[in-house]
Amino acid sequence: MSRFLSLLKTLLINSFGISAIRAKARKNKLEYLKVLGLGAAIAAGVSPTLWLYSKILIDGYDLLAPLEQQGAILLLGIVMVSTMIFFFGIFYVINLFYFARDAQNLLALPLSGWQVLGARFSVVIAYEYLTELPFLLPPLLIFGIKSGASLTYWLYALIGFLLIPLLPLSLATIPTVVIMRFANLGRRKDLFKILGGLMVIALAIGYQFLFQKSGINATDPAFLQNLLTDQYGLVNLISRVFPSTKYLGMALISADKVAGLINLLIFAALSLLAVALAWLVGDKLYFKGLVGSSETAARRKMLTSSDYKRLGKGSPALLSYCMKEIRLLFRVPSYFMNCVLTNLLVPVILIIPFLLQSHNETEAMPWEDLIAQPEGQTILMVVIVGAVIFLAGSNAITATSLSREGKEFFISKYIPLSYQQQLLAKLLSGYIFGTIGAVLLLIGAIVLMPLDITLIGMILAVSLVAIGPITEAGLLIDIFRPKLDWDNEQKAVKQNLNVVFSILFSILLGGAVLYIVVRFIHSPTLAATFMLCCFGLAAVIMYYLLMTRGIEQYRKLEG
Amino acid sequence: MIEIIGVSKSYNRGAVKAVDNVNLTIRDGEIFGFLGPNGAGKTTLIKMITGILNADEGTIKINGKDIRKNPIDAKMQFGFVPDDPNIFARLTGLEYLNFMADMYMVPPENRLDLIQTLLKRFEMGAAAGDLIQSYSHGMKQKIVVIGALLHNPPVWILDEPMTGLDPRSSFDLKEMMREHADAGKTVFFSTHVLDVAEKVCDRLAIINKGRVILFGSMQEIREHLRENQSLENLFLELTENE
Ligand SMILES: Nc1ncnc2c1ncn2[C@@H]1O[C@H](COP(=O)(O)OP(=O)(O)OP(=O)(O)O)[C@@H](O)[C@H]1O
Ligand SMILES: [Mg+2]
């Protein structure tokens, strides 16, 4: 046990970069201030969203209180967080347990499967607490304060907060460990790892749809009546996504009754059971999925002249540099999962539910009336452009493009390709993926709804311009704070604040422009013109900054 | 030719002075060895010559081209073999070489011949189609060396190139350095292996704690040796920790 704890401590310190901060702070006390300042900047960035979220919860509470269903806001938070932890958990587990370069290193130590898996599992739990905080704290506080809750409520809330990630993360861990055990066969290991990861995600999405769709019939009046009159109607409905969450919801709602305690105990038992199961599976299968997973296929076959011929005549340096970026994005599993896949998967995830629905219902889609009117078309345009912008911000291809080079950054410094060209090549790679995301989203929209060609053209034009400032800003962010000092690749794309900043920028810029459009502009043509101007201007400004301040800073960076 | 004039560099805002006012001129047609204990500042100086680090003070010119003022031209003058060959693990050897050829604008006419000849010379023909990830340390070193030679650079800069090479490849590399210098070009390399320095270099410099403490031709350095004293003893004496 003590070995487990000491492993856990080391992993925690290492993955949160605590030693690095301490070492810097020893020389310069201001380093702590910098960390605090960064935290404050992020808090300021998300505070409008948090405020809106809290407002919705408060309104929801007041609305539901007369029905005695105000507990639903708790469930909403819990279910949302559980679902998120489940999905993020899959990515964390695949990345941290398998793709991380240092995952291999621990194999040489005399530790058993559950110890290593358990320690890594706990590190992920620590991350999940951070994810949980902004989503769960508001409903817990609002319900507690507004209902004048007793001490037991607050105690249960704390216990609940600590228990919540256990079950979803276990559910994410078990199939991943099993699938990765079998993905670690054959010779194309990188490829199998990616396919394995895809399979887990597909399973997870399938599971979600299964639960969401079972037994809900919104048009049945009896169901609706039951929903509103039964005290736990809403609670039952919401918790269907993650059935176990109902017990925690009930525990909090009836914290002062014996039933509350019983429900809490059930929830705790379920959570701990799931963890035990996950660690047991891990003990049996984790190392089997890891041993030799760094083996690379090698043919060691003499190249024939046709192999050499295929090299062709070479390409201009800028394109060659861009190709290198794209090759690595596809070949390094954690880059693929975090940068490429999100780009492809998000449009698909957004579209699937509607596609499924349209199959078994002949009724009109809810938006058919909407897009018949110009206002509706404008709104639609705003929604799609907003999604494109968010996608371009969150794929973080430019926002991690220096960070991804890590210790290899010195190569960019000594090759005879000007910094301007290098930055343009990086921009190009980000722009290409942004465009792919935009086109996929648009294809989805066309499949779902009858759009006329001018509207499609306008949306595409605005999207293609809007990607510009987002990719440029991402690159600027990464030039000014590249994370080059990492020991495994996923730290460059996953535990990198630049991704957060890139998303924040896309939310702020996109939010501001789209808000104005929704508020003041009704005609789609006018809206498109306005957006083209705004995003075009932003693109030019960002480009200018990149080519002046950006290059200057790039010159100062040392490998 | 490499001119290093009054170059200094410190890390961590002056806390560690890694290179301290170094002045050196490396002439055409010679192999220049750069000798020093661990942490002496060899890699730091080489990184400044190649533009990876910015010098705090001083100027560095490669064939007359200033690395700060005229970086692209200066960078075209040299081929560089870094001390850590762990690069681009997810590219194949051939993809890496082609990337380097694109960067240095190697003309398409002789690119294929060049790559093929060099791969053969280092016996890397069979591995070139595989990912660099699957290479041994020495194989990685070789592919990097090949990448640095593709554009037939007038100046060759190598940071501890012999580490990890087997005797055969190490011998080949020394041969190539000799050929290169004999063709009137410049070779600059760092090492801590005295034997290599003694046998290969025309001139060498010994560096310790960022300062050049002895420099000249092998002949001149031998004159520094007292009766029966080996180069090893001299080196140990010069770089002794006080
Ligand atoms: N990135 C860095 N940050 C801080 N200090 C550094 C850094 N790189 C090197 N140093 C310090 O600079 C000094 C010179 O290091 P350098 O790497 O140039 O030595 P070296 O002669 O190449 O040694 P070796 O033979 O071990 O390769 C050392 O004191 C080292 O600790
Ligand atoms: Mg060194």
Side-chain angles (χ1 to χ4, degrees), chain B residues 38-39 41-44 83 159-160 190 192:
Chain B
N38 295 129
K42 303 182 293 294
T43 299
T44 306
D83 57 344
D159 196 356
E160 294 182 25
S190 79
H192 18 59

Side-chain angles (χ1 to χ4, degrees), chain B residues 114-130:
Chain B
L114 208 62
I115 291 182
Q116 266 170 308
T117 325
L118 284 168
L119 281 176
K120 196 178 237 166
R121 175 138 195 193
F122 282 94
E123 290 171 0
M124 287 290 290
D130 298 326

Side-chain angles (χ1 to χ4, degrees), chain B residues 2-241:
Chain B
I2 308 175
E3 295 158 272
I4 302 166
I5 306 153
V7 167
S8 297
K9 171 82 186 175
S10 45
Y11 289 108
N12 298 326
R13 297 194 192 90
V16 184
K17 191 128 195 176
V19 169
D20 194 357
N21 192 21
V22 168
N23 291 284
L24 286 175
T25 303
I26 294 120
R27 302 184 206 120
D28 287 343
E30 73 175 358
I31 301 180
F32 193 100
F34 202 47
L35 205 61
N38 295 129
K42 303 182 293 294
T43 299
T44 306
L45 183 67
I46 287 180
K47 282 183 169 174
M48 285 188 285
I49 300 174
T50 50
I52 296 168
L53 293 176
N54 299 322
D56 296 343
E57 291 163 39
T59 30
I60 296 170
K61 286 183 187 167
I62 301 143
N63 282 345
K65 313 234 163 40
D66 191 308
I67 188 72
R68 293 299 291 280
K69 296 200 186 99
N70 203 352
I72 303 299
D73 285 344
K75 286 173 186 178
M76 286 300 279
Q77 300 302 316
F78 64 79
F80 173 47
V81 179
D83 57 344
D84 180 8
N86 288 307
I87 57 178
F88 293 145
R90 292 303 201 303
L91 295 186
T92 68
L94 205 53
E95 282 169 348
Y96 170 73
L97 295 181
N98 208 30
F99 172 74
M100 280 304 182
D102 284 338
M103 291 301 122
Y104 287 98
M105 298 189 280
V106 177
E109 301 88 69
N110 55 7
R111 179 184 290 205
L112 285 186
D113 287 343
L114 208 62
I115 291 182
Q116 266 170 308
T117 325
L118 284 168
L119 281 176
K120 196 178 237 166
R121 175 138 195 193
F122 282 94
E123 290 171 0
M124 287 290 290
D130 298 326
L131 291 184
I132 294 181
Q133 201 174 24
S134 73
Y135 291 4
S136 72
H137 182 86
M139 290 160 80
K140 288 176 189 161
Q141 188 81 15
K142 287 182 194 173
I143 206 83
V144 172
V145 168
I146 297 175
L149 289 176
L150 286 175
H151 63 296
N152 197 14
V155 174
W156 207 15
I157 300 171
L158 308 96
D159 196 356
E160 294 182 25
M162 311 297 174
T163 326
L165 291 188
D166 58 30
R168 163 101 253 149
S169 311
S170 166
F171 177 80
D172 279 346
L173 186 64
K174 283 183 251 176
E175 288 269 277
M176 290 177 79
M177 286 159 69
R178 188 74 266 163
E179 282 168 27
H180 210 72
D182 290 348
K185 296 168 181 171
T186 311
V187 179
F188 180 76
F189 79 106
S190 79
T191 181
H192 18 59
V193 186
L194 289 164
D195 214 31
V196 173
E198 206 170 352
K199 292 208 181 91
V200 184
C201 301
D202 299 316
R203 291 200 303 155
L204 62 84
I206 296 179
I207 180 176
N208 191 29
K209 302 207 175 99
R211 287 169 171 278
V212 174
I213 45 180
L214 184 66
F215 111 101
S217 64
M218 264 331 287
Q219 195 56 42
E220 287 163 344
I221 286 183
R222 287 216 178 83
E223 281 158 20
H224 267 270
L225 301 180
R226 273 174 271 121
E227 195 106 356
N228 288 335
Q229 194 191 19
S230 64
L231 184 58
E232 185 171 20
N233 279 337
L234 177 71
F235 180 83
L236 291 178
E237 202 174 280
L238 285 172
T239 60
E240 202 166 294
N241 293 324

